[in-house]
Amino acid sequence: MDFELTEEQRIIQDMAYRFAVNEMAPVAQEHDREEKFAREIWKKGCEAGLVGSTIPEEYGGPGFGFLEQALITEQLSRVDLGLCLCIVAAIFGSEHILFFGTEEQKKKYLPPLCSGKAISAGAFTEPDAGTDVAAGRTRAVKDGGDYVINGNKMFITNGTVCNFMAVFCVTNPEAEARHSRHSIVLVEADRPGVTVNKITGKLGVRASDTTEIAFEDVRVPQENLVGEEGRGFYQLMEFFDATRTMVAAQGVGVAQGALDLTVKYVQERKTFGRPLASNQGLQFQLAEMATRIEMARNTTYKAAWMVDQGLPTSKESCMAKLHSSNTYMDVARDGMQIMAGYGFTMEYDMQRHYRDAKLSEFGGGTSELMHLLIAGEMGV
């Protein structure tokens, strides 16, 4: 059992963190304050090879695995989660093409994602269908050689900036099994009938673009179907198993970033004539925070490695996401408590980590759902 990263993986890890410090840190507060998608950061991320890292070389990507993607995600999130998502989530939804698409779809849609010419989105959640994704009612009806799509999606990442989206919609409404009613269909964002509204006023992760989308008689050719008709739910579950490792890596990264800020603060802050870091109670607390982060990191790396090995990862990816989100929330809260009034001001980055933390408990699946899925994999 080898826990050592390869030299290439360490180089990727170091490069991603240097990019975050040099390119993201100087503009993080601005983009958070203005709720602005960082297109310039995304472009630089494409040039640095950080966007589409799991896309194979024959389709324009570097051909890394999900473990390398986790390393990149962790290091970018360590500085700012919102800007991280402008980079790593710029290909969100395109994994369906990578996993289930035709050769023609891969050649058409994947290369522009890596070269900085396109951004993708995954349109899965609906106003009344979040955790119960199979309750989604957006319909795609065949008409001649097209699908005609009607419905609404909510809380969609990249909606106002994407060029195309993978849409989860009902294509087989008469199927007896509710999990056999949906399919994944690619929809270009500039198709007539697509209306996108940006959601503003979010608590955290404000640089990431979040939207609601309406489809009104949107026509796309049936060749835009990804995978098999009626298999959309099962494709989506496989997609979540893989991409939850990235959500877990986000939690590890931001928790580490919050710990970094806390350690720096206690080393510089003096109380009662002594450095705050000399307080044994705080030393114990910081040690506990670091230990939990390392446990979350190892769980995440294992799940991502399993994806790369083609192993079943439903339980492990849910465990990684659950443990990572719990760790992230606790570390951000404890770091804020230690920094007290300083952490509470907009001048310090701790308040941003604290606000961003809440997303980890429901983004990519609620913590309650993770418990249910893990228990189900245990046969209970």
Side-chain angles (χ1 to χ4, degrees):
M1 185 178 295
D2 187 1
F3 288 96
E4 186 69 25
L5 297 177
T6 67
E7 181 179 357
E8 181 183 37
Q9 288 168 338
R10 288 195 297 270
I11 291 173
I12 293 170
Q13 188 179 49
D14 180 65
M15 183 265 289
Y17 185 60
R18 284 188 285 107
F19 179 92
V21 171
N22 296 330
E23 302 293 345
M24 292 167 49
V27 299
Q29 286 200 21
E30 171 193 349
H31 283 277
D32 175 74
R33 183 175 58 252
E34 298 181 6
E35 299 186 73
K36 182 173 63 175
F37 181 85
R39 190 169 288 274
E40 70 283 0
I41 296 294
W42 163 66
K43 280 283 189 180
K44 290 179 180 180
C46 290
E47 295 169 1
L50 298 173
V51 177
S53 57
T54 57
I55 294 177
E57 292 182 6
E58 58 264 39
Y59 306 118
F64 297 144
F66 275 81
L67 178 53
E68 287 79 12
Q69 173 80 328
L71 296 174
I72 292 171
T73 301
E74 177 188 350
Q75 296 306 315
L76 298 183
S77 300
R78 189 174 168 187
V79 170
D80 183 72
L81 180 55
L83 293 181
C84 167
L85 292 180
C86 292
I87 295 175
V88 300
I91 67 163
F92 188 66
S94 71
E95 294 89 350
H96 285 281
I97 302 172
L98 183 61
F99 294 166
F100 309 108
T102 64
E103 187 65 20
E104 291 74 18
Q105 289 172 338
K106 293 176 182 178
K107 290 179 178 178
K108 177 180 179 179
Y109 291 101
L110 297 181
L113 295 174
C114 304
S115 62
K117 296 179 181 177
I119 294 173
S120 63
F124 312 130
T125 301
E126 297 190 7
D128 296 318
T131 297
D132 183 13
V133 67
R137 295 183 293 181
T138 295
R139 291 284 300 273
V141 179
K142 287 181 179 178
D143 183 28
D146 295 337
Y147 284 113
V148 179
I149 302 175
N150 286 278
N152 297 278
K153 299 292 180 179
M154 179 62 79
F155 304 125
I156 306 305
T157 300
N158 297 337
T160 67
V161 298
C162 72
N163 299 85
F164 68 91
M165 61 196 82
V167 182
F168 184 70
C169 46
V170 176
T171 54
N172 303 65
E174 305 304 322
E176 183 176 350
R178 70 194 297 259
H179 292 159
S180 299
R181 296 171 184 170
H182 296 80
S183 301
I184 302 291
V185 179
L186 300 175
V187 179
E188 289 77 11
D190 59 359
R191 292 268 179 183
V194 176
T195 303
V196 183
N197 292 310
K198 183 179 178 67
I199 297 173
T200 59
K202 294 185 297 182
L203 174 68
V205 199
R206 291 158 61 90
S208 178
D209 185 64
T210 307
T211 64
E212 55 181 340
I213 303 177
F215 303 94
E216 186 175 357
D217 294 331
V218 178
R219 284 186 171 272
V220 299
Q222 290 182 32
E223 65 190 35
N224 281 22
L225 173 71
V226 181
E228 299 179 35
E229 191 172 77
R231 296 289 299 176
F233 176 83
Y234 300 99
Q235 293 172 200
L236 192 60
M237 294 304 101
E238 188 170 333
F239 162 84
F240 281 140
D241 285 346
T243 58
R244 278 194 182 113
T245 61
M246 298 305 101
V247 180
Q250 294 165 23
V252 173
V254 186
Q256 184 64 58
L259 180 60
D260 293 342
L261 291 173
T262 307
V263 170
K264 184 175 185 294
Y265 175 79
V266 300
Q267 289 173 335
E268 297 175 350
R269 174 76 166 156
K270 289 186 176 181
T271 59
F272 304 102
R274 300 174 58 193
L276 196 57
S278 66
N279 182 295
Q280 190 179 67
L282 284 181
Q283 292 173 0
F284 284 9
Q285 190 172 9
L286 292 168
E288 182 68 24
M289 293 160 70
T291 300
R292 292 192 61 186
I293 292 171
E294 189 62 21
M295 292 169 63
R297 179 177 290 117
N298 286 332
T299 305
T300 298
Y301 287 5
K302 178 185 177 183
W305 174 84
M306 290 179 68
V307 174
D308 291 334
Q309 303 306 308
L311 299 172
T313 59
S314 181
K315 181 176 69 174
E316 286 75 14
S317 64
C318 288
M319 285 179 168
K321 198 269 183 187
L322 177 63
H323 185 52
S324 172
S325 63
N326 289 342
T327 299
Y328 178 8
M329 282 292 295
D330 290 345
V331 169
R333 184 194 62 244
D334 291 347
M336 174 68 83
Q337 183 69 18
I338 291 171
M339 292 184 68
Y342 289 99
F344 200 64
T345 66
M346 299 299 286
E347 179 183 355
Y348 289 83
D349 289 336
M350 182 58 78
Q351 50 77 29
R352 195 171 68 249
H353 289 318
Y354 184 77
R355 288 186 287 109
D356 289 350
K358 187 58 187 176
L359 177 65
S360 68
E361 292 193 317
F362 57 85
T366 65
S367 294
E368 292 79 7
L369 176 62
M370 297 303 102
H371 282 102
L372 290 174
L373 293 176
I374 294 167
E377 289 292 320
M378 296 167 60
V380 297

